[in-house]
Amino acid sequence: MPIPLVILLIVLIVLAGYLFVFKYKKHTMGVNAPERKAAVTILDKQVVVTDDPTQEDEYWIYIQKGAFGPKREFQIGVHYYHHLNPGIKES
């Protein structure tokens, strides 16, 4: 195999690795991702009470994007939990 083809192959492998890491950080980890807003409806909320006194309770809300969008759940802080009620539509 000629040397220029080996060098080209190595450059393409390095470039593919760099692009993979860049896309992974942006889409999976949210690094430098643009902020987006969507109209959602709060469907329900829930507290998961722990028996262990060293752990804090967990506060969850369940939302739906739009009228027919996917339903998702998010863990939130206690202050948000008390201000958000089922049926509220946020944008």
Side-chain angles (χ1 to χ4, degrees):
M1 210 177 202
I3 298 294
L5 287 178
V6 173
I7 293 173
L8 179 63
L9 183 62
I10 291 172
V11 168
L12 288 176
I13 289 172
V14 169
L15 180 64
Y18 172 76
L19 290 175
F20 173 78
V21 170
F22 176 75
K23 290 291 185 178
Y24 176 78
K25 284 183 178 180
K26 183 174 181 180
H27 294 287
T28 304
M29 307 306 263
V31 175
N32 294 327
E35 182 178 335
R36 292 185 171 175
K37 294 184 179 186
V40 297
T41 302
I42 299 172
L43 300 174
D44 197 13
K45 61 183 188 175
Q46 176 183 6
V47 178
V48 178
V49 179
T50 58
D51 295 332
D52 187 4
T54 60
Q55 292 183 348
E56 296 182 4
D57 296 340
E58 296 179 353
Y59 300 91
W60 294 84
I61 60 168
Y62 301 92
I63 65 163
Q64 182 175 16
K65 182 179 175 184
F68 303 105
K71 296 175 184 172
R72 296 184 179 167
E73 59 186 43
F74 294 96
Q75 186 175 4
I76 58 173
V78 63
H79 298 294
Y80 290 111
Y81 178 82
H82 290 296
H83 289 287
L84 298 172
N85 294 315
I88 293 177
K89 295 184 179 185
E90 297 285 331
S91 57

